[in-house]
Structures are given as C-alpha cells and as structure tokens.
Amino acid sequence: MNRDGPSALTAPAPIRRWPHPGIVVAALLIALFAYAILSLASHATSAGFAVVFSPYVGSLLQASLIQVSLSTLLSLLLGALVALAVARRGNHLVARAFRAFLLTAAVAPTIVLVLGVVTVYGRAGWAAAALQSIGVGSWPSIYGLPGILIAHVALNASYAARIYLHALDQVPPEHHRIAAIYGLSPAQIFRQCDWPALKRETPGLAALIMLLCFTSFAVVLTLGGGPRYATLEVAIYEALRVEVDFGRAGLLAILQVAISAAFVLATGRMIRAEPVGETSGRAIARADAAMRGLRIADVCVLALVAACLAPVLFAPLGGITAASHLIDRDVAQAFMTSITVAVPASALCVLFALALATHSVAAPRGAFFAAAPMLALAVPPFALIAGLYVPLRRFADMTTLAYVLTPLVNAIIALPFAFRLIEPAARLSRARYGKLAAQLGLSGLNHLRIVDAPILRRPVIAAFAMALALSLGDFGVAALFGGEEFRTLPLLLNERMGAYRMAEAQAVALVMIIFAFLLALATETFADAGDR
C-alpha cells in the first residue's frame, strides 16, 4: 500500500503552458516562406505576369518533367541494386568501403561533382582520351541532358542506396534464418525479405529525389548547356542576379512553390516514414550471401558503379600535384567564411529538426510536422533569401546580411536530411518509453534529457555532420551574395573553373572532398547507433 498518496505512476501529465518548439519551428518556417515570396511578388509587373504564362516557362516545365522523371527512375534503380549488393556482402571490407563511398558521394559538394563530371566525361576528359587512344571516334558533348543525368544520378543514387541499405539492415535476422531453413530461392528471398523493406522507403525517397531534381540549380546551371534544360530555379536566379527583376522572380517562385507544394501535399502520406521495425539489433546473416550466382552479380554491379562514379568523385585527387596553390590568402579567407557560415547553419538545422521530429511523433496531427521539412525543398532558396534580403537591405549592407541570411537558409535547405536521421530515433523513443514517460509526468526538457537524449544523442551528431557537409558545399545560396567580401570555398572553386585555372580549382576541390569524406564518415558512424 502506498502511504504517500497517489503513485507517481498514476500522476496526471502536467498541463503545457507553452507551445511545443515543433509548433514554433513550423510556424516560423511558414512565416518566412510566405513573407519572402510575398515580398518579391509585391514588385510584380504586367510584364512579369506575361513571362510566367509564356511558352518559355511551358518549355521549362516540359523539360523539367523529362529530366526529373529520368533522374528519379535511374537513381532509384541504381540505388536499389547497389544497396542489395552491399547488404549481401555484409561486413566484408569492400562492402564497408562502399558504405563510406556512397555517403561521401551523397554529401559531396555539388560544384565538386560538376568538376568531376567535366574532368571524366567532358570532351577533353579521361573517358574521351581513353577511347581516342584506341582509335574510337569523337566524344559527344557532356553539356545538356546527359551531363545533368550523370550528375543527378551520381548524387541521388548514392543517397538512395544509403536509405535502402538502412531499410535492409532493419529486416529482422529471423526472416533470413527462416529463409535459410526452408531453402528459399534468390527470387523468393527478395520477395519475402527485401522487397517489403525497399517498398516501404521507395515512395518517400522518390518524392524527395523528384523535388531535389525539380529544384536543382548548380548542376543545371553549369551542365545544362543553355536554356533548353533550365529549371525554374535557374530562371529565378537569372531574374534576380542578371536582370534584377524582383517581381518576375517572385512570380516564378510562386509558380514553383505551387507545383512543389501540391506535390508534397499529394505525397504527404508516402513521405512520412513508417514505424521502426522491431529487431534484435544483431548483425544479419543473409540466406543468399553465399550463393555463387548472386556473388558474381554483386561483384559486377559494384565494379560497374565504382568504374562509373568513383572517377567522378575522386577526380579532385588530381589536385594533390597543385597543393602548393592552397597556401593562398584567398583560400584561407574562403575557408574561414565557409566555416563561419556552416557551423551556425548546422546547429540551427539540428535544433529545427529535433523540434519537428519530437513533435511529429507525439502530436495527433504529426503528419503535418513530418511533411514540414519537405516544404523547404518546395521553396526556391533564391526566392527565400532574396525575399528576406530586399526589405532588410535598408538596415544593413550586403555583406552583413550575407553572414546572417546564408546560415539561416542553409539550415532550412539541410532540414529534410537532418529530419530523416533524427525522426526514426524519436519514433523509437516514443514507442519504447512514451507510455511510461506519460505516467511519470515527464515533459519538456525533462522528457528530452531523461527519455530522448540516450537514443537521440548519436543521430543528432550524425545530423549535425550531414548538415555541416551540405552547408560547406553550398553553392546556390552563397552565389547570390558572391563577391570580394563574401566568398566561400564553392564560390572560389567556381571562380577558378571559370578562369580555366583548373589545377588550382582541383586543389580547392580536394580540400572540399576531404571534408565531405570525414563528415560522411562521422554521419555513417553515428547514424545507426542510437538504439543500441
């Protein structure tokens, strides 16, 4: 008998006086998006409306549809093949190296990847030189749809493979043990064990990749080869940076937001991650790992991917011979500017993702908060930062605003990726300890410190590392403020590429890819360890 009155286990949950931080973050994001776009649209003119409804914009949307569809389909197919091959090889050294390679490719700075595509597949690139040395005819131009597809697939197939691998790792080991006992064929193992895990991730992953390709900027601007394959994002950049037409940029931004938001709302249920499966946490001994035919097929798939994508990723290694160019005042200033922008952007991104993730798994209408990070992909970064810059330029100079607005927008851009790392761990914490925490009356910071922190700590570190990698590699947002007083490493790399100082560009790219690899390694190390 309890002599101290009502038990703590039956105590009612305390009444919350303040809104959950997830509600505040969601409201802040919506307010920022609305304010920025309406700020630009207030400058709209009749000429701007004529451009928005012109055949030019229609052709942009048609070309985007073709490019987005092909990029998404190829990325998902290649990502699934690679994930299955790596999963079947288990903890083999090659498989572990491939895991790190895939994540490095996924977070590699876009401008570095563009440099790699040109270095390897350009008319004066390695592939053309190799074929010409054996007497094969002329090499086609890389600019246009082929270059865009290569770069998009290199980026997105790697990310898709990582997500698929995580899903395959969550398959309970008992499933493969039963498959081995009953002697299932490879097709039966795929249908019973692998396909449910892949199918669960595919709709949300496809939606994310389609949005990324639809709003692609750096790849399309540098490898598009002209307006034929431009995206709305590039058209917005040209309206802001080249024509200084804020109204036209605002109307184009509204059009892009309308299309992307409709897509996010239509796929909202698919975007939300499924509940985490119950696993023993032990390594999976796959029933098909020792099958000779699959082993040969896996080696062929991994060798083909390594032969096509690895040179693109490691092309900057040619910068080793030009490492002396790194001892330069411009490189040092660009490095410090990148760090000054990326660190606060990453911290802000993690705080946003943590607030949204913990609220999405607990709130009755959690689907809205799970879809909120995806809205960040729907709003053009140029429109967002320009819409905030235009009204604020009366209060501060351009360089000062660049140091304030660039971290904020970079944090929002990285939010969907950070959220995807943190949300599954938050869902696991809720499933394991939610009822007990409610009975104990834990809420707010006490809930976060006592219940969530042990599970969320490592995914939060992984999310910070990934956000840092994405922010360090940002080229699009920083390009709007680029100049002598605000130059990040990607902007410096682009300048040196534009000036045909390729050796110096590769040296800068080498620094960036080393950082991307180290941060990818940190993400890989901490991402899956939160529930152990």
Side-chain angles (χ1 to χ4, degrees):
M1 182 176 178
N2 188 349
R3 300 178 180 177
D4 300 325
S7 168
L9 291 174
T10 60
I15 299 174
R16 186 185 295 278
R17 296 181 178 180
W18 302 99
H20 191 282
I23 298 175
V24 176
V25 170
L28 176 65
L29 291 177
I30 293 172
L32 284 175
F33 295 156
Y35 180 76
I37 292 174
L38 292 177
S39 169
L40 289 178
S42 64
H43 295 78
T45 61
S46 57
F49 279 101
V51 170
V52 170
F53 295 103
S54 66
Y56 167 67
V57 173
S59 65
L60 283 186
L61 295 177
Q62 187 177 2
S64 294
L65 179 63
I66 297 172
Q67 176 264 115
V68 168
S69 301
L70 289 174
S71 297
T72 304
L73 185 62
L74 293 173
S75 298
L76 291 177
L77 183 61
L78 189 60
L81 288 175
V82 171
L84 285 168
V86 173
R88 280 194 285 259
R89 295 310 107 209
N91 286 322
H92 191 275
L93 180 62
V94 175
R96 282 186 290 172
F98 240 89
R99 286 175 185 259
F101 165 73
L102 290 173
L103 198 55
T104 304
V107 301
T110 307
I111 192 67
V112 173
L113 209 66
V114 168
L115 175 65
V117 170
V118 174
T119 303
V120 177
Y121 296 109
R123 273 186 171 160
W126 299 348
L131 290 181
Q132 287 171 2
S133 67
I134 58 175
V136 177
S138 61
W139 185 262
S141 172
I142 193 66
Y143 295 100
L145 187 59
I148 294 174
L149 288 181
I150 291 174
H152 279 171
V153 171
L155 279 169
N156 298 318
S158 308
Y159 182 71
R162 285 295 307 134
I163 298 298
Y164 280 144
L165 259 176
H166 178 75
L168 294 173
D169 288 343
Q170 299 302 308
V171 174
E174 293 77 12
H175 290 194
H176 284 282
R177 195 174 304 133
I178 294 173
I181 292 172
Y182 284 93
L184 299 186
S185 66
Q188 290 171 322
I189 293 173
F190 174 78
R191 190 166 59 248
Q192 299 298 332
C193 298
D194 298 329
W195 175 240
L198 298 179
K199 187 174 68 174
R200 188 176 64 240
E201 295 291 342
T202 296
L205 196 53
L208 178 60
I209 292 175
M210 291 183 79
L211 278 176
L212 287 172
C213 295
F214 182 65
T215 58
S216 178
F217 169 70
V219 169
V220 176
L221 182 69
T222 51
L223 294 175
R228 183 178 178 186
Y229 291 104
T231 58
L232 282 175
E233 194 85 1
V234 174
I236 293 167
Y237 170 77
E238 290 174 349
L240 288 172
R241 185 77 181 186
V242 181
E243 301 170 16
V244 198
D245 187 342
F246 295 121
R248 179 180 170 185
L251 292 174
L252 290 172
I254 290 174
L255 177 62
Q256 176 163 323
V257 170
I259 295 173
S260 302
F263 182 78
V264 170
L265 292 174
T267 58
R269 288 182 178 274
M270 296 186 292
I271 290 170
R272 188 175 191 181
E274 295 289 333
V276 177
E278 292 295 334
T279 70
S280 63
R282 291 174 294 185
I284 295 176
R286 292 183 60 98
D288 53 359
M291 295 180 180
R292 182 182 176 82
L294 285 179
R295 187 178 296 176
I296 295 173
D298 292 344
V299 170
C300 291
V301 168
L302 296 181
L304 181 64
V305 172
C308 294
L309 295 186
V312 173
L313 192 60
F314 296 117
L317 291 180
I320 291 177
T321 57
S324 60
H325 292 289
L326 293 174
I327 306 174
D328 181 88
R329 181 170 173 269
D330 288 342
V331 174
Q333 285 184 340
F335 177 78
M336 289 306 300
T337 302
S338 291
I339 293 295
T340 304
V341 168
V343 171
S346 307
L348 198 59
C349 175
V350 167
L351 289 176
F352 284 177
L354 189 60
L356 289 172
T358 52
H359 194 55
S360 72
V361 300
R365 298 183 181 275
F368 168 77
F369 297 94
M374 298 294 288
L375 290 174
L377 295 176
V379 179
F382 287 129
L384 178 58
I385 201 164
L388 298 175
Y389 166 72
V390 170
L392 293 176
R393 60 183 173 174
R394 293 174 294 175
F395 306 106
D397 60 83
M398 189 170 185
T399 303
T400 302
L401 289 176
Y403 280 102
V404 175
L405 296 180
T406 305
L408 174 64
V409 177
N410 278 348
I412 294 173
I413 292 173
L415 182 57
F417 303 95
F419 180 84
R420 200 169 179 84
L421 286 167
I422 293 175
E423 194 266 354
R427 188 168 296 282
L428 180 66
S429 173
R430 179 76 179 179
R432 284 184 178 175
Y433 309 116
K435 291 181 180 178
L436 179 60
Q439 289 173 337
L440 293 175
L442 293 174
S443 64
L445 288 178
N446 285 335
H447 189 285
L448 182 65
R449 180 173 57 84
I450 298 172
V451 179
D452 293 332
I455 293 179
L456 291 179
R457 185 171 54 245
R458 296 175 73 85
V460 163
I461 295 173
F464 181 86
M466 174 165 273
L468 189 60
L470 293 174
S471 187
L472 283 173
D474 167 63
F475 172 73
V477 175
L480 202 61
F481 293 108
E484 289 292 329
E485 297 180 355
F486 184 80
R487 183 191 289 128
T488 60
L489 283 175
L491 292 178
L492 182 64
L493 171 59
N494 186 57
E495 281 183 13
R496 297 196 168 174
M497 284 175 63
Y500 297 101
R501 297 160 65 180
M502 298 307 289
E504 297 175 38
Q506 284 190 332
V508 175
L510 179 63
V511 174
M512 295 172 66
I513 204 69
I514 288 173
F515 271 98
F517 174 76
L518 294 175
L519 292 170
L521 201 60
T523 305
E524 174 72 19
T525 302
F526 290 102
D528 300 324
D531 58 340
R532 295 179 185 171

